[in-house]
Amino acid sequence: MPSNTASSSSAPAGSSKSKRPKYSKFTQQELPACKPILTPGWVILTFLVISVIFIPLGVVSLFASQDVVEIVDRYDNDCVPTPARANKVAYIQGGSDKSCNRTLVVPKKMKQPIYVYYQLENFYQNHRRYVKSRSDSQLRSVKDENQIDACKPEDDVNGKPIVPCGLIAWSLFNDTYALSKNNQPLTVNKRGIAWKSDREHKFGKNVFPKNFQEGNITGGGRLDANKSLSEQEDLIVWMRTAALPTFRKLYGKIESDLEKGDTIHVTLLNNYNTYSFDGKKKLVLSTTSWLGGKNDFLGIAYLTVGGICFFLALVFTIMYLVKPRRLGDPTYLSWNRVPGGGR
Amino acid sequence: MASSGGGLSVESSSPSLLRAPSRTVTLGRIQPQAPTYRTVFCNDRDANLPVRFKGNSISTTKYNVFTFLPKGLFEQFRRIANIYFLGISCLSMTPISPVNPITNVAPLSMVLLVSLIKEAFEDWKRFQNDMSINNSTVEVLQDQQWVPIPWRKVQVGDIIKINKDGFFPADILFLSSTNPDGEIQCEQPNNSLYTFTGNLIVEKQTLPLSPDQLLLRGCSLRNTEYIVGAVIFTGHETKVMMNAMNIPSKRSTLEKKLDKLIITIFCVLFMMCLIGATGCAIVTDRDHEYLGLHKLDWEYRNRMTIAFFTFFTLITLFSTIIPISLYVSIEMIKFIQSTQFINRDLHMYHAETDTPASARTSNLNEELGQVEYIFSDKTGTLTRNLMEFFKCSIGGISYGCGITEIERGIAQRDGLKIQEEQRSANAIREKGFNFDDPRLMRGGWRNEPNPDLCKEFFRCLAICHTVLPEGDESPEKIFYQAASPDEAALVTAAKNFGFFFYRRTPTTVYVRESHTEEMGKIQDMSYDILNVLEFNSTRKRQSVVCRFPDGRLVLYCKGADTVIFERLADAMDDVRKVTREHLEHFGSSGLRTLCLAYKDLNPEAYDSWNEKFVQAKSALRDREKKLDEVAELIEKDLILIGSTAIEDKLQEGVPNCIETLSRAGIKIWVLTGDKMETAINIAYACNLINNDMKQFIISSETDAIREAEERGDQVEIARVIKEEVQKELKKSLEEAQQYLNTVTGPKLALVIDGKCLMYALDPTLRITLLSLSLNCTSVVCCRVSPLQKAQVTSLVRKGAKKITLSIGDGANDVSMIQAAHVGVGISGMEGMQAVMASDFAIAQFRFLTDLLLVHGRWSYLRICKVVMYFFYKNLTFTLTQFWFTFRTGFSGQRFYDDWFQSLYNVFFTALPVIVLGLFEKDVSASLSKRYPELYREGIRNSFFKWRVVAVWASSAVYQSLVCYLFVTTSAFDGKNSSGKMFGLWDVSTMVFTCLVIAVNLRILLMSNSITRWHHITVLGSILAWLVFAFVYCGIMTPRDRNENVYFVIYVLMSTFYFYFTLLLVPVVALLADFIYQGVERWFFTYDYQIVQEIHRHEPDSKNADQLEIKNELSPEEARSHAISQLPRELSKHTGFAFDSPGYESFFASQLGIYAPQKAWDVARRASMRSRPKAPKKK
């Protein structure tokens, strides 16, 4: 007697074949699996492991950060002569002499290389309008110099394309610093301050500035029309836009050691207008460690997290001792508790 | 024609003369046609040509090559998320967009691509299936010989031959001659499986056609060498195909809740954009000269325009908050769950019928995990529809000493011990017969007080039926093919009593009678069957007019007690009374009863009646009604013989399953057409009701109602019943509430019958009924119609807003199955309609345990986790972007590179969550069944509450803050050892890397079961990101594509800072979740977590299944287990199953839903190869 059933029109064939599904671990949902249970033991152990790893890392990072010597000097206010302070914008836009002298004292021995940075605050280099206002293809090759669509409003001057176009280039930072120690000038090396990849691939060797800063309003620094873009490292650094409105950019490096107590005179040209929007300007001299600059954040974070984990391990241990719950106690099952006591 | 089993013969070979004009009707795919007629010329393709019947090739595909793209895309864009992304993509083409269009186009196209591939794949499968069906061959009569042709070439009017076990390629009119040349007039194609009217016109004779002669496409031929038939309906016009088209489409409750979540996300998005726009309007300042704002840009004209445009900018920027790939991922997960897990689960494979479970839709997997109410049909679902002759009452004496399982159960509940059945050593036990009483067996009846009545009893059993004997004509080897197992059981009983029915021709029944004349004497008797008044649902009885060899003319009748008692002759009041008592006793033992009666006819009266009968039989209109009317004329003044009692066996494992399900917090309602007593007793046997329960019985069989009914005024009856029902309901509800207020009150049960239910469902009483029934642990509705079944279901579904599941096997369950959230059909039997209407088909009721407690629960858990994870990962990602916006003067500058953003969803975080959706298990399958209470977490919707959403949202806020703040803060002075500073893209790449790692590792933290696929996909995703970054940062394309991130990853990786941050940030980000989970497990433990802990040392092996039965049985369970383990015969039926022709179909017919009365006729008629009866002239 045939055991098969005719159930629908979909199967006229294969009446002798069994419909029994084939066994496989996948279809029977029996794949081998590890089933971690977050028992208190595991929780405490995890906390301990994290703290054991994190605390030393925190200490190491902090030490690295402590090794870094950093001199920060805010000059935007001080470099405006007292009488002009009432209207700084007028001063900075005026034609008067912008030079300014600053004196820095080295608090600790600084080993070379010492990096010179400028730091801007409240400057939205990450503003949408600003970030997109550039043309990478134009920067890279001569033949694309007309690709200026993205660069508005700094795209052309009287119909001639600006190279490099866009707001970023237009607003190039142009304060300059001349450093001297004991009246001996300190050489600030401005070569090799940009990322190599930028220098070699994003800025063309045969692209030269054209029509730059020739519009009605001059935004910032000018460029040497005889140097190709790939050599204009200030521009390259500037055009790697910063992530946050407070940022530092590399200005140059000093390739000699500075001793503790050395006095450094800085003669700077305070050209750049941050006054209209209350942007601060700072000059920073800093050494580096293997981990980067002077930034305690990582170290403190590591230490804090490690500490918290250690603390939690303790708390959990105490709770474990004070209010133990037997693992897998059936009386905790909701239906074994008072009626309606479940969740 | 007298015998319903009579084959139809067409012996003429002359061409037909009458060719009625026929109408061509354009046929829709689904719509049943207007009631016109179609005319089919047999074996004459030319004549049929002008009508242009549809071909027999079928196509179930949704698309073809040309429609695929437009139609498929249209389908996709019906989804709100896709439309949204289409809008966003358009928006991102405009200059206000902060992002490249690719950011939104890429994920959208990816999602569309995947969806379309899935659609195409499914459609391809359908196409292949169609092709294999269309190309299977069948033999067609052409030029007097059988020519095999493919199915698709079969045309209306063709004469085809189907061999044994072959499938019918179209709806076929069964013929018994191989050279017909007639004309068939029949109804237009429609989707009613069980009705058919038509006429066969041969040699000017008109022969009536009924569903009996129609063989449906897709059925197969059994037990017969071959048959011949004329094709009537082909292809999409076949009844089965017209039925198959409208699969109901349901959406799960969770998915509807998901919509709410999506709307909430939209609100959050709106808020974020509003904040950003306001901020931008406030912050934007012309003094920032470097922004070039002095060069009048019209969108920066004033603060309003700034806010307006920024708003849209931000919408484009934050579009990632909408989890675009969520729906397609869920769809894929559910698709695999249903096709690979549910359909292939060996636990749900029924070997006897060779039926695996089948998920007919993948929409409702997780709905299975939240079912709170199950509405179950009784016959075929809870019970086996396997009937055994168990007891009888003849002439007022009750026979049979068996004890039913139900009686045993009752006795055990009452604490009585039952001595083992004292069965004589040579008691006969076979399929359909489980009776022992020496008073009747082996001729013992001759010594009983009423031997003549006994003889009539046995003859009635042996003659009055439509059973067909098969196989050898010996008592041992014969096999009875019957419409319902009741009938087979009765004939088997007659055989065992010595009245062996062994042969049937359309006109004669042959019975080998023992002990009739004298003890031990055996003689073969032949009874001419003059008329068969068939069983149907309105009549609830069946009669046969037969002529004894000695010329005696007798009408035998059997039927429901009510109809028989109405038609008895006035005498014999005492027998009637005693028999009624017996009937009640049988009923309360859970037995199904039938009354038997007979009547001697006088020949003249019979002849005049027969004329009327023949007329009615050939009527084209209202044939059934006319037949019923004629039958009434002769079925009166009957003499009561006695009654039979048949045991209705429970399906395997039903009590156990019900016990488990109710422990899972699921309430089971039985909706049956049976009598109240039977229903209650089945409920007892199934553990649904026990004596500890307080039972509320609302019955229409009360004195007040009966009195009103006797007065007969319909309006009055309605009023009385309504009042009674109202009174009862109020009283019960008050009582129920009292019990509920006490702590240790008994469980409650409600029993209500269909008549009362009709009034209780009235809008005024509905609320009372609902609140009463929701307080009850079990509810039994008896004598209900299919419509009422559906009404009760939607009462709970809509009124109580609970998730409901209906399970049934018959056509009368269809409306109930469609009304519930989840419809389950019992497959493997014949009941095609229930399965066709269902969302899931299983072979046995007990598989509900696996379907709900294992698949449903896991599916719910998985989908919840998947949804939550999608929500979390998109929110986290978007929030980092949002925090960044605060530091860009709300300008809407994007934080991430376009490609990073577009691939985040579809590439770097896509696969682990799918693995989670497939492999997540909190506890193993056997533990799920062992602790059914775990299921309650789904009923309570513990994993998809706003509370859970809030936890995930806070996790997202925290993690995004950690990723964003930690990296930006530490990167302020981050530089490489040669003092070079990081720019925007370096920082964002750093954040992105941390984010991808944290979000991917979060999967592992939330998984209860981590397979190697988790490892592979999580590590794979992180690696995929790194590899992508290496490649993407390493190349320069000739086209301008804002090469912001050029070399970024190499720059980053050359610093120690990178690695220090990479270790710190993900650990800190995940730490909070880790603490939360630790605390939650310790102090606010979920049940499943405790179960995990209890069994933490056990390997997840198979022998856990065996362990559980031993350990877990309470005395209650042990009993039900023992009952379910009692020896019983395995079903040996041929694959045809029947809805019980009993009382349920009565209601079905009233509502226009025809119960399958005749499906079995296929086989019966097929095997009738004896001399057919000549058709009568009109």
Side-chain angles (χ1 to χ4, degrees), chain B residues 752-815:
Chain B
I752 186 166
D753 75 358
K755 217 184 263 177
C756 296
L757 197 59
M758 195 163 76
Y759 295 96
L761 285 171
D762 186 273
T764 51
L765 292 180
R766 201 178 278 170
I767 308 294
T768 328
L769 174 71
L770 187 65
S771 44
L772 173 62
S773 46
L774 290 185
N775 286 331
C776 295
T777 5
S778 32
V779 175
V780 177
C781 302
C782 39
R783 305 209 89 131
V784 288
S785 66
L787 181 67
Q788 283 178 324
K789 287 182 178 184
Q791 281 176 333
V792 172
T793 311
S794 35
L795 178 74
V796 175
R797 177 187 176 151
K798 298 201 177 107
K801 301 238 185 304
K802 305 282 188 186
I803 296 177
T804 55
L805 178 147
S806 290
I807 178 167
D809 71 322
N812 52 356
D813 303 318
V814 168
S815 52

Side-chain angles (χ1 to χ4, degrees), chain A residues 80-94 96 273 275-276:
Chain A
V80 179
T82 325
R85 282 191 192 165
N87 192 348
K88 293 177 199 159
V89 180
Y91 165 78
I92 200 78
Q93 284 171 348
S96 57
N273 178 12
Y275 299 101
S276 51

